[in-house]
Amino acid sequence: DIVLTQSPGTLSLSPGERATLSCRASQSVLSDYLAWYQQKPGQAPRLLIYGASSRATGIPNRFSGSGSGTDFTLTISRLEPEDFAVYYCQQYGRSPDTFGQGTKLEIK
Amino acid sequence: EVQMVQSGVEVAKPGESLKISCKASGYDFSTYWIGWVRQMPGKGLEWMGVVYPGDSFTRYSPSFQGQVTISADKSHTTAYLQWRTLKASDSAIYYCARMQTYMGFDFWGQGTLVTVSS
């Protein structure tokens, strides 16, 4: 199975700052089939980014994804109060699909 | 509008069987994979497996193979996750989600809380 390691585990930032979240794969992700999800307490996850860099429908352009192969990044250019949540990466290029362990983005 | 609506909270005893559901609407049910994801209390997301309703083909994570059964009923546009013998460690929230091959999980259900306790 492909293991996804997210870092940092927790990121403490203030609204208006830039957030950079990392997702590293234990082997190359096929076709860059790497997605990012946001999950707020008591809610289901929401798809933000797919194919490593494509924004899902309705996702604000302050969210961007980059990377290929084994190293991927989710960037939030300017944090809004509603962005504080847990973020997960997922690879869906090689079965079984796998998730990273998550990064908690908290208000500083 | 695509919707994935899951069945309600379940409380069961160890050793019992259980089947939870995910009713899909707003799209062609037969042509999209549906997956199940586990989230244990205070923990992250775990990919369990997927089913293709068009032909009922399934793929499982090795961690869940043989522990659960994933199925789909085209006539009711509903996917299912079932256990034959529940354990306390099966207590979790279970999410269903529609999967697109090139996108991952694009629409999610609201989650079903399963509590297994004697």
Side-chain angles (χ1 to χ4, degrees), chain B residues 2-38:
Chain B
V2 174
Q3 288 194 322
M4 315 291 285
V5 179
Q6 297 185 230
S7 50
V9 173
E10 298 279 0
V11 179
K13 291 182 167 47
E16 291 184 338
S17 62
L18 180 66
K19 192 174 189 177
I20 62 175
S21 65
C22 172
K23 169 76 173 173
S25 61
Y27 71 96
D28 184 352
F29 181 74
S30 296
T31 59
Y32 291 81
W33 294 83
I34 293 181
W36 289 92
V37 175
R38 183 174 79 174

PDB file of all heavy atoms in Angstrom, chain B residues 2-38:
ATOM      1  N   VAL B   2     -26.668  16.284  -6.968  1.00  0.00           N
ATOM      2  CA  VAL B   2     -26.188  15.015  -6.426  1.00  0.00           C
ATOM      3  C   VAL B   2     -26.375  14.999  -4.904  1.00  0.00           C
ATOM      4  O   VAL B   2     -25.995  15.954  -4.216  1.00  0.00           O
ATOM      5  CB  VAL B   2     -24.702  14.803  -6.761  1.00  0.00           C
ATOM      6  CG1 VAL B   2     -24.171  13.543  -6.072  1.00  0.00           C
ATOM      7  CG2 VAL B   2     -24.492  14.727  -8.260  1.00  0.00           C
ATOM      8  N   GLN B   3     -26.954  13.921  -4.392  1.00  0.00           N
ATOM      9  CA  GLN B   3     -27.104  13.754  -2.942  1.00  0.00           C
ATOM     10  C   GLN B   3     -26.777  12.324  -2.556  1.00  0.00           C
ATOM     11  O   GLN B   3     -27.122  11.382  -3.281  1.00  0.00           O
ATOM     12  CB  GLN B   3     -28.533  14.086  -2.499  1.00  0.00           C
ATOM     13  CG  GLN B   3     -28.861  15.566  -2.550  1.00  0.00           C
ATOM     14  CD  GLN B   3     -30.146  15.891  -1.801  1.00  0.00           C
ATOM     15  OE1 GLN B   3     -31.106  15.143  -1.827  1.00  0.00           O
ATOM     16  NE2 GLN B   3     -30.156  17.016  -1.106  1.00  0.00           N
ATOM     17  N   MET B   4     -26.114  12.183  -1.418  1.00  0.00           N
ATOM     18  CA  MET B   4     -25.816  10.877  -0.828  1.00  0.00           C
ATOM     19  C   MET B   4     -26.391  10.937   0.592  1.00  0.00           C
ATOM     20  O   MET B   4     -25.864  11.683   1.427  1.00  0.00           O
ATOM     21  CB  MET B   4     -24.311  10.618  -0.788  1.00  0.00           C
ATOM     22  CG  MET B   4     -23.549  10.954  -2.059  1.00  0.00           C
ATOM     23  SD  MET B   4     -23.934   9.864  -3.434  1.00  0.00           S
ATOM     24  CE  MET B   4     -23.038   8.394  -2.961  1.00  0.00           C
ATOM     25  N   VAL B   5     -27.440  10.193   0.842  1.00  0.00           N
ATOM     26  CA  VAL B   5     -28.112  10.251   2.136  1.00  0.00           C
ATOM     27  C   VAL B   5     -27.967   8.905   2.831  1.00  0.00           C
ATOM     28  O   VAL B   5     -28.421   7.874   2.326  1.00  0.00           O
ATOM     29  CB  VAL B   5     -29.601  10.615   1.966  1.00  0.00           C
ATOM     30  CG1 VAL B   5     -30.279  10.646   3.323  1.00  0.00           C
ATOM     31  CG2 VAL B   5     -29.736  11.982   1.274  1.00  0.00           C
ATOM     32  N   GLN B   6     -27.364   8.944   4.006  1.00  0.00           N
ATOM     33  CA  GLN B   6     -27.069   7.717   4.728  1.00  0.00           C
ATOM     34  C   GLN B   6     -28.119   7.406   5.781  1.00  0.00           C
ATOM     35  O   GLN B   6     -28.838   8.303   6.262  1.00  0.00           O
ATOM     36  CB  GLN B   6     -25.697   7.820   5.384  1.00  0.00           C
ATOM     37  CG  GLN B   6     -24.569   7.971   4.371  1.00  0.00           C
ATOM     38  CD  GLN B   6     -23.198   7.948   5.005  1.00  0.00           C
ATOM     39  OE1 GLN B   6     -22.361   8.820   4.743  1.00  0.00           O
ATOM     40  NE2 GLN B   6     -22.927   6.939   5.828  1.00  0.00           N
ATOM     41  N   SER B   7     -28.192   6.149   6.153  1.00  0.00           N
ATOM     42  CA  SER B   7     -29.108   5.717   7.195  1.00  0.00           C
ATOM     43  C   SER B   7     -28.638   6.239   8.552  1.00  0.00           C
ATOM     44  O   SER B   7     -27.528   6.746   8.692  1.00  0.00           O
ATOM     45  CB  SER B   7     -29.225   4.193   7.197  1.00  0.00           C
ATOM     46  OG  SER B   7     -27.947   3.586   7.195  1.00  0.00           O
ATOM     47  N   GLY B   8     -29.507   6.122   9.545  1.00  0.00           N
ATOM     48  CA  GLY B   8     -29.292   6.779  10.820  1.00  0.00           C
ATOM     49  C   GLY B   8     -28.393   6.026  11.789  1.00  0.00           C
ATOM     50  O   GLY B   8     -27.839   4.976  11.494  1.00  0.00           O
ATOM     51  N   VAL B   9     -28.267   6.635  12.970  1.00  0.00           N
ATOM     52  CA  VAL B   9     -27.410   6.116  14.029  1.00  0.00           C
ATOM     53  C   VAL B   9     -27.787   4.671  14.362  1.00  0.00           C
ATOM     54  O   VAL B   9     -28.974   4.322  14.405  1.00  0.00           O
ATOM     55  CB  VAL B   9     -27.558   6.985  15.296  1.00  0.00           C
ATOM     56  CG1 VAL B   9     -26.819   6.375  16.466  1.00  0.00           C
ATOM     57  CG2 VAL B   9     -27.082   8.400  15.016  1.00  0.00           C
ATOM     58  N   GLU B  10     -26.753   3.855  14.581  1.00  0.00           N
ATOM     59  CA  GLU B  10     -26.961   2.457  14.933  1.00  0.00           C
ATOM     60  C   GLU B  10     -26.260   2.147  16.264  1.00  0.00           C
ATOM     61  O   GLU B  10     -25.111   2.547  16.467  1.00  0.00           O
ATOM     62  CB  GLU B  10     -26.394   1.535  13.852  1.00  0.00           C
ATOM     63  CG  GLU B  10     -27.030   1.670  12.497  1.00  0.00           C
ATOM     64  CD  GLU B  10     -28.347   0.901  12.378  1.00  0.00           C
ATOM     65  OE1 GLU B  10     -28.765   0.249  13.371  1.00  0.00           O
ATOM     66  OE2 GLU B  10     -28.950   0.964  11.298  1.00  0.00           O
ATOM     67  N   VAL B  11     -26.973   1.444  17.125  1.00  0.00           N
ATOM     68  CA  VAL B  11     -26.386   0.931  18.357  1.00  0.00           C
ATOM     69  C   VAL B  11     -26.596  -0.577  18.336  1.00  0.00           C
ATOM     70  O   VAL B  11     -27.729  -1.040  18.170  1.00  0.00           O
ATOM     71  CB  VAL B  11     -27.040   1.546  19.603  1.00  0.00           C
ATOM     72  CG1 VAL B  11     -26.414   0.966  20.861  1.00  0.00           C
ATOM     73  CG2 VAL B  11     -26.872   3.069  19.575  1.00  0.00           C
ATOM     74  N   ALA B  12     -25.507  -1.323  18.481  1.00  0.00           N
ATOM     75  CA  ALA B  12     -25.606  -2.775  18.381  1.00  0.00           C
ATOM     76  C   ALA B  12     -24.677  -3.431  19.406  1.00  0.00           C
ATOM     77  O   ALA B  12     -23.828  -2.756  20.010  1.00  0.00           O
ATOM     78  CB  ALA B  12     -25.233  -3.233  16.969  1.00  0.00           C
ATOM     79  N   LYS B  13     -24.852  -4.708  19.579  1.00  0.00           N
ATOM     80  CA  LYS B  13     -24.026  -5.467  20.532  1.00  0.00           C
ATOM     81  C   LYS B  13     -22.955  -6.264  19.788  1.00  0.00           C
ATOM     82  O   LYS B  13     -23.145  -6.654  18.625  1.00  0.00           O
ATOM     83  CB  LYS B  13     -24.906  -6.410  21.341  1.00  0.00           C
ATOM     84  CG  LYS B  13     -25.834  -5.712  22.309  1.00  0.00           C
ATOM     85  CD  LYS B  13     -26.651  -6.730  23.106  1.00  0.00           C
ATOM     86  CE  LYS B  13     -27.367  -6.106  24.290  1.00  0.00           C
ATOM     87  NZ  LYS B  13     -28.072  -4.867  23.995  1.00  0.00           N
ATOM     88  N   PRO B  14     -21.843  -6.518  20.452  1.00  0.00           N
ATOM     89  CA  PRO B  14     -20.821  -7.359  19.828  1.00  0.00           C
ATOM     90  C   PRO B  14     -21.422  -8.702  19.409  1.00  0.00           C
ATOM     91  O   PRO B  14     -22.254  -9.274  20.118  1.00  0.00           O
ATOM     92  CB  PRO B  14     -19.792  -7.534  20.948  1.00  0.00           C
ATOM     93  CG  PRO B  14     -19.964  -6.340  21.810  1.00  0.00           C
ATOM     94  CD  PRO B  14     -21.445  -6.026  21.778  1.00  0.00           C
ATOM     95  N   GLY B  15     -21.007  -9.167  18.232  1.00  0.00           N
ATOM     96  CA  GLY B  15     -21.519 -10.440  17.727  1.00  0.00           C
ATOM     97  C   GLY B  15     -22.731 -10.303  16.835  1.00  0.00           C
ATOM     98  O   GLY B  15     -23.070 -11.246  16.101  1.00  0.00           O
ATOM     99  N   GLU B  16     -23.395  -9.143  16.894  1.00  0.00           N
ATOM    100  CA  GLU B  16     -24.564  -8.938  16.041  1.00  0.00           C
ATOM    101  C   GLU B  16     -24.136  -8.599  14.614  1.00  0.00           C
ATOM    102  O   GLU B  16     -23.002  -8.223  14.351  1.00  0.00           O
ATOM    103  CB  GLU B  16     -25.453  -7.832  16.603  1.00  0.00           C
ATOM    104  CG  GLU B  16     -26.142  -8.206  17.901  1.00  0.00           C
ATOM    105  CD  GLU B  16     -27.088  -7.147  18.413  1.00  0.00           C
ATOM    106  OE1 GLU B  16     -26.944  -5.966  18.047  1.00  0.00           O
ATOM    107  OE2 GLU B  16     -27.993  -7.514  19.200  1.00  0.00           O
ATOM    108  N   SER B  17     -25.105  -8.726  13.692  1.00  0.00           N
ATOM    109  CA  SER B  17     -24.881  -8.304  12.308  1.00  0.00           C
ATOM    110  C   SER B  17     -25.508  -6.940  12.097  1.00  0.00           C
ATOM    111  O   SER B  17     -26.378  -6.505  12.873  1.00  0.00           O
ATOM    112  CB  SER B  17     -25.486  -9.320  11.344  1.00  0.00           C
ATOM    113  OG  SER B  17     -26.890  -9.388  11.535  1.00  0.00           O
ATOM    114  N   LEU B  18     -25.043  -6.253  11.055  1.00  0.00           N
ATOM    115  CA  LEU B  18     -25.544  -4.903  10.791  1.00  0.00           C
ATOM    116  C   LEU B  18     -25.346  -4.577   9.318  1.00  0.00           C
ATOM    117  O   LEU B  18     -24.360  -4.985   8.700  1.00  0.00           O
ATOM    118  CB  LEU B  18     -24.789  -3.881  11.649  1.00  0.00           C
ATOM    119  CG  LEU B  18     -25.197  -2.415  11.495  1.00  0.00           C
ATOM    120  CD1 LEU B  18     -26.622  -2.206  11.996  1.00  0.00           C
ATOM    121  CD2 LEU B  18     -24.223  -1.496  12.224  1.00  0.00           C
ATOM    122  N   LYS B  19     -26.284  -3.805   8.784  1.00  0.00           N
ATOM    123  CA  LYS B  19     -26.177  -3.314   7.398  1.00  0.00           C
ATOM    124  C   LYS B  19     -26.603  -1.857   7.400  1.00  0.00           C
ATOM    125  O   LYS B  19     -27.700  -1.529   7.855  1.00  0.00           O
ATOM    126  CB  LYS B  19     -27.092  -4.139   6.488  1.00  0.00           C
ATOM    127  CG  LYS B  19     -26.880  -3.931   5.004  1.00  0.00           C
ATOM    128  CD  LYS B  19     -27.750  -4.936   4.220  1.00  0.00           C
ATOM    129  CE  LYS B  19     -27.455  -4.948   2.752  1.00  0.00           C
ATOM    130  NZ  LYS B  19     -28.262  -5.978   2.026  1.00  0.00           N
ATOM    131  N   ILE B  20     -25.736  -0.976   6.924  1.00  0.00           N
ATOM    132  CA  ILE B  20     -26.085   0.436   6.811  1.00  0.00           C
ATOM    133  C   ILE B  20     -26.156   0.797   5.329  1.00  0.00           C
ATOM    134  O   ILE B  20     -25.579   0.109   4.477  1.00  0.00           O
ATOM    135  CB  ILE B  20     -25.103   1.354   7.574  1.00  0.00           C
ATOM    136  CG1 ILE B  20     -23.682   1.245   7.017  1.00  0.00           C
ATOM    137  CG2 ILE B  20     -25.130   1.023   9.067  1.00  0.00           C
ATOM    138  CD1 ILE B  20     -22.704   2.231   7.664  1.00  0.00           C
ATOM    139  N   SER B  21     -26.869   1.881   5.033  1.00  0.00           N
ATOM    140  CA  SER B  21     -27.132   2.192   3.638  1.00  0.00           C
ATOM    141  C   SER B  21     -26.758   3.615   3.258  1.00  0.00           C
ATOM    142  O   SER B  21     -26.574   4.490   4.112  1.00  0.00           O
ATOM    143  CB  SER B  21     -28.612   1.953   3.331  1.00  0.00           C
ATOM    144  OG  SER B  21     -29.421   2.862   4.063  1.00  0.00           O
ATOM    145  N   CYS B  22     -26.698   3.816   1.964  1.00  0.00           N
ATOM    146  CA  CYS B  22     -26.336   5.107   1.368  1.00  0.00           C
ATOM    147  C   CYS B  22     -27.181   5.275   0.112  1.00  0.00           C
ATOM    148  O   CYS B  22     -26.930   4.603  -0.895  1.00  0.00           O
ATOM    149  CB  CYS B  22     -24.846   5.099   1.058  1.00  0.00           C
ATOM    150  SG  CYS B  22     -24.236   6.511   0.111  1.00  0.00           S
ATOM    151  N   LYS B  23     -28.177   6.148   0.171  1.00  0.00           N
ATOM    152  CA  LYS B  23     -29.097   6.361  -0.956  1.00  0.00           C
ATOM    153  C   LYS B  23     -28.568   7.497  -1.825  1.00  0.00           C
ATOM    154  O   LYS B  23     -28.403   8.627  -1.358  1.00  0.00           O
ATOM    155  CB  LYS B  23     -30.488   6.691  -0.408  1.00  0.00           C
ATOM    156  CG  LYS B  23     -31.472   7.195  -1.439  1.00  0.00           C
ATOM    157  CD  LYS B  23     -32.005   6.088  -2.316  1.00  0.00           C
ATOM    158  CE  LYS B  23     -33.116   6.608  -3.221  1.00  0.00           C
ATOM    159  NZ  LYS B  23     -33.527   5.566  -4.217  1.00  0.00           N
ATOM    160  N   ALA B  24     -28.318   7.183  -3.094  1.00  0.00           N
ATOM    161  CA  ALA B  24     -27.780   8.179  -4.024  1.00  0.00           C
ATOM    162  C   ALA B  24     -28.876   8.702  -4.938  1.00  0.00           C
ATOM    163  O   ALA B  24     -29.794   7.962  -5.307  1.00  0.00           O
ATOM    164  CB  ALA B  24     -26.660   7.560  -4.849  1.00  0.00           C
ATOM    165  N   SER B  25     -28.778   9.961  -5.305  1.00  0.00           N
ATOM    166  CA  SER B  25     -29.726  10.548  -6.242  1.00  0.00           C
ATOM    167  C   SER B  25     -29.072  11.691  -6.993  1.00  0.00           C
ATOM    168  O   SER B  25     -28.036  12.213  -6.585  1.00  0.00           O
ATOM    169  CB  SER B  25     -30.976  11.053  -5.500  1.00  0.00           C
ATOM    170  OG  SER B  25     -30.635  12.056  -4.574  1.00  0.00           O
ATOM    171  N   GLY B  26     -29.693  12.059  -8.122  1.00  0.00           N
ATOM    172  CA  GLY B  26     -29.226  13.201  -8.883  1.00  0.00           C
ATOM    173  C   GLY B  26     -28.195  12.906  -9.950  1.00  0.00           C
ATOM    174  O   GLY B  26     -27.655  13.827 -10.556  1.00  0.00           O
ATOM    175  N   TYR B  27     -27.891  11.635 -10.177  1.00  0.00           N
ATOM    176  CA  TYR B  27     -26.929  11.262 -11.213  1.00  0.00           C
ATOM    177  C   TYR B  27     -27.193   9.818 -11.625  1.00  0.00           C
ATOM    178  O   TYR B  27     -28.008   9.120 -11.005  1.00  0.00           O
ATOM    179  CB  TYR B  27     -25.488  11.445 -10.713  1.00  0.00           C
ATOM    180  CG  TYR B  27     -25.042  10.433  -9.670  1.00  0.00           C
ATOM    181  CD1 TYR B  27     -24.331   9.305 -10.032  1.00  0.00           C
ATOM    182  CD2 TYR B  27     -25.337  10.618  -8.316  1.00  0.00           C
ATOM    183  CE1 TYR B  27     -23.923   8.364  -9.089  1.00  0.00           C
ATOM    184  CE2 TYR B  27     -24.944   9.701  -7.362  1.00  0.00           C
ATOM    185  CZ  TYR B  27     -24.235   8.576  -7.751  1.00  0.00           C
ATOM    186  OH  TYR B  27     -23.838   7.651  -6.804  1.00  0.00           O
ATOM    187  N   ASP B  28     -26.479   9.346 -12.668  1.00  0.00           N
ATOM    188  CA  ASP B  28     -26.627   7.971 -13.139  1.00  0.00           C
ATOM    189  C   ASP B  28     -25.887   7.022 -12.181  1.00  0.00           C
ATOM    190  O   ASP B  28     -24.665   6.874 -12.246  1.00  0.00           O
ATOM    191  CB  ASP B  28     -26.064   7.850 -14.557  1.00  0.00           C
ATOM    192  CG  ASP B  28     -26.278   6.464 -15.149  1.00  0.00           C
ATOM    193  OD1 ASP B  28     -26.715   5.546 -14.424  1.00  0.00           O
ATOM    194  OD2 ASP B  28     -25.999   6.298 -16.347  1.00  0.00           O
ATOM    195  N   PHE B  29     -26.640   6.393 -11.314  1.00  0.00           N
ATOM    196  CA  PHE B  29     -26.074   5.571 -10.231  1.00  0.00           C
ATOM    197  C   PHE B  29     -25.139   4.483 -10.753  1.00  0.00           C
ATOM    198  O   PHE B  29     -24.143   4.158 -10.111  1.00  0.00           O
ATOM    199  CB  PHE B  29     -27.225   4.946  -9.447  1.00  0.00           C
ATOM    200  CG  PHE B  29     -26.818   4.090  -8.289  1.00  0.00           C
ATOM    201  CD1 PHE B  29     -26.338   4.658  -7.122  1.00  0.00           C
ATOM    202  CD2 PHE B  29     -26.949   2.708  -8.341  1.00  0.00           C
ATOM    203  CE1 PHE B  29     -25.980   3.877  -6.037  1.00  0.00           C
ATOM    204  CE2 PHE B  29     -26.596   1.909  -7.262  1.00  0.00           C
ATOM    205  CZ  PHE B  29     -26.116   2.490  -6.101  1.00  0.00           C
ATOM    206  N   SER B  30     -25.456   3.924 -11.917  1.00  0.00           N
ATOM    207  CA  SER B  30     -24.723   2.753 -12.407  1.00  0.00           C
ATOM    208  C   SER B  30     -23.314   3.063 -12.873  1.00  0.00           C
ATOM    209  O   SER B  30     -22.494   2.154 -13.011  1.00  0.00           O
ATOM    210  CB  SER B  30     -25.495   2.091 -13.553  1.00  0.00           C
ATOM    211  OG  SER B  30     -26.721   1.590 -13.095  1.00  0.00           O
ATOM    212  N   THR B  31     -23.014   4.322 -13.136  1.00  0.00           N
ATOM    213  CA  THR B  31     -21.759   4.649 -13.828  1.00  0.00           C
ATOM    214  C   THR B  31     -20.718   5.352 -12.966  1.00  0.00           C
ATOM    215  O   THR B  31     -19.728   5.870 -13.489  1.00  0.00           O
ATOM    216  CB  THR B  31     -22.048   5.496 -15.083  1.00  0.00           C
ATOM    217  OG1 THR B  31     -22.714   6.701 -14.680  1.00  0.00           O
ATOM    218  CG2 THR B  31     -22.909   4.736 -16.063  1.00  0.00           C
ATOM    219  N   TYR B  32     -20.936   5.393 -11.670  1.00  0.00           N
ATOM    220  CA  TYR B  32     -19.950   5.963 -10.761  1.00  0.00           C
ATOM    221  C   TYR B  32     -19.680   4.976  -9.618  1.00  0.00           C
ATOM    222  O   TYR B  32     -20.607   4.394  -9.062  1.00  0.00           O
ATOM    223  CB  TYR B  32     -20.432   7.274 -10.133  1.00  0.00           C
ATOM    224  CG  TYR B  32     -20.541   8.430 -11.080  1.00  0.00           C
ATOM    225  CD1 TYR B  32     -21.658   8.581 -11.902  1.00  0.00           C
ATOM    226  CD2 TYR B  32     -19.535   9.396 -11.146  1.00  0.00           C
ATOM    227  CE1 TYR B  32     -21.758   9.648 -12.772  1.00  0.00           C
ATOM    228  CE2 TYR B  32     -19.639  10.473 -12.010  1.00  0.00           C
ATOM    229  CZ  TYR B  32     -20.759  10.587 -12.820  1.00  0.00           C
ATOM    230  OH  TYR B  32     -20.858  11.658 -13.673  1.00  0.00           O
ATOM    231  N   TRP B  33     -18.409   4.825  -9.244  1.00  0.00           N
ATOM    232  CA  TRP B  33     -18.066   4.056  -8.057  1.00  0.00           C
ATOM    233  C   TRP B  33     -18.633   4.748  -6.808  1.00  0.00           C
ATOM    234  O   TRP B  33     -18.763   5.968  -6.757  1.00  0.00           O
ATOM    235  CB  TRP B  33     -16.556   3.963  -7.904  1.00  0.00           C
ATOM    236  CG  TRP B  33     -15.848   3.194  -8.969  1.00  0.00           C
ATOM    237  CD1 TRP B  33     -15.467   3.648 -10.199  1.00  0.00           C
ATOM    238  CD2 TRP B  33     -15.404   1.839  -8.907  1.00  0.00           C
ATOM    239  NE1 TRP B  33     -14.822   2.666 -10.891  1.00  0.00           N
ATOM    240  CE2 TRP B  33     -14.763   1.535 -10.123  1.00  0.00           C
ATOM    241  CE3 TRP B  33     -15.476   0.832  -7.917  1.00  0.00           C
ATOM    242  CZ2 TRP B  33     -14.214   0.285 -10.398  1.00  0.00           C
ATOM    243  CZ3 TRP B  33     -14.931  -0.404  -8.186  1.00  0.00           C
ATOM    244  CH2 TRP B  33     -14.306  -0.667  -9.414  1.00  0.00           C
ATOM    245  N   ILE B  34     -18.948   3.945  -5.805  1.00  0.00           N
ATOM    246  CA  ILE B  34     -19.280   4.467  -4.474  1.00  0.00           C
ATOM    247  C   ILE B  34     -18.339   3.796  -3.475  1.00  0.00           C
ATOM    248  O   ILE B  34     -18.137   2.572  -3.518  1.00  0.00           O
ATOM    249  CB  ILE B  34     -20.736   4.196  -4.086  1.00  0.00           C
ATOM    250  CG1 ILE B  34     -21.667   5.011  -4.983  1.00  0.00           C
ATOM    251  CG2 ILE B  34     -20.982   4.561  -2.619  1.00  0.00           C
ATOM    252  CD1 ILE B  34     -23.139   4.826  -4.672  1.00  0.00           C
ATOM    253  N   GLY B  35     -17.784   4.601  -2.590  1.00  0.00           N
ATOM    254  CA  GLY B  35     -16.852   4.084  -1.608  1.00  0.00           C
ATOM    255  C   GLY B  35     -17.326   4.287  -0.180  1.00  0.00           C
ATOM    256  O   GLY B  35     -18.259   5.067   0.074  1.00  0.00           O
ATOM    257  N   TRP B  36     -16.664   3.580   0.720  1.00  0.00           N
ATOM    258  CA  TRP B  36     -16.932   3.709   2.159  1.00  0.00           C
ATOM    259  C   TRP B  36     -15.637   4.066   2.879  1.00  0.00           C
ATOM    260  O   TRP B  36     -14.564   3.513   2.566  1.00  0.00           O
ATOM    261  CB  TRP B  36     -17.517   2.412   2.722  1.00  0.00           C
ATOM    262  CG  TRP B  36     -18.930   2.152   2.276  1.00  0.00           C
ATOM    263  CD1 TRP B  36     -19.334   1.435   1.193  1.00  0.00           C
ATOM    264  CD2 TRP B  36     -20.123   2.646   2.895  1.00  0.00           C
ATOM    265  NE1 TRP B  36     -20.701   1.438   1.097  1.00  0.00           N
ATOM    266  CE2 TRP B  36     -21.211   2.171   2.132  1.00  0.00           C
ATOM    267  CE3 TRP B  36     -20.396   3.416   4.037  1.00  0.00           C
ATOM    268  CZ2 TRP B  36     -22.544   2.453   2.467  1.00  0.00           C
ATOM    269  CZ3 TRP B  36     -21.703   3.697   4.369  1.00  0.00           C
ATOM    270  CH2 TRP B  36     -22.763   3.215   3.584  1.00  0.00           C
ATOM    271  N   VAL B  37     -15.762   4.969   3.834  1.00  0.00           N
ATOM    272  CA  VAL B  37     -14.616   5.482   4.583  1.00  0.00           C
ATOM    273  C   VAL B  37     -14.945   5.424   6.068  1.00  0.00           C
ATOM    274  O   VAL B  37     -16.025   5.851   6.483  1.00  0.00           O
ATOM    275  CB  VAL B  37     -14.310   6.939   4.167  1.00  0.00           C
ATOM    276  CG1 VAL B  37     -13.191   7.532   5.037  1.00  0.00           C
ATOM    277  CG2 VAL B  37     -13.933   6.998   2.693  1.00  0.00           C
ATOM    278  N   ARG B  38     -14.028   4.886   6.854  1.00  0.00           N
ATOM    279  CA  ARG B  38     -14.222   4.815   8.299  1.00  0.00           C
ATOM    280  C   ARG B  38     -13.479   5.939   9.005  1.00  0.00           C
ATOM    281  O   ARG B  38     -12.357   6.299   8.616  1.00  0.00           O
ATOM    282  CB  ARG B  38     -13.706   3.477   8.845  1.00  0.00           C
ATOM    283  CG  ARG B  38     -13.941   3.283  10.339  1.00  0.00           C
ATOM    284  CD  ARG B  38     -13.545   1.893  10.805  1.00  0.00           C
ATOM    285  NE  ARG B  38     -12.109   1.742  10.978  1.00  0.00           N
ATOM    286  CZ  ARG B  38     -11.554   0.645  11.485  1.00  0.00           C
ATOM    287  NH1 ARG B  38     -12.304  -0.383  11.852  1.00  0.00           N
ATOM    288  NH2 ARG B  38     -10.230   0.568  11.603  1.00  0.00           N
TER     289      ARG B  38
END
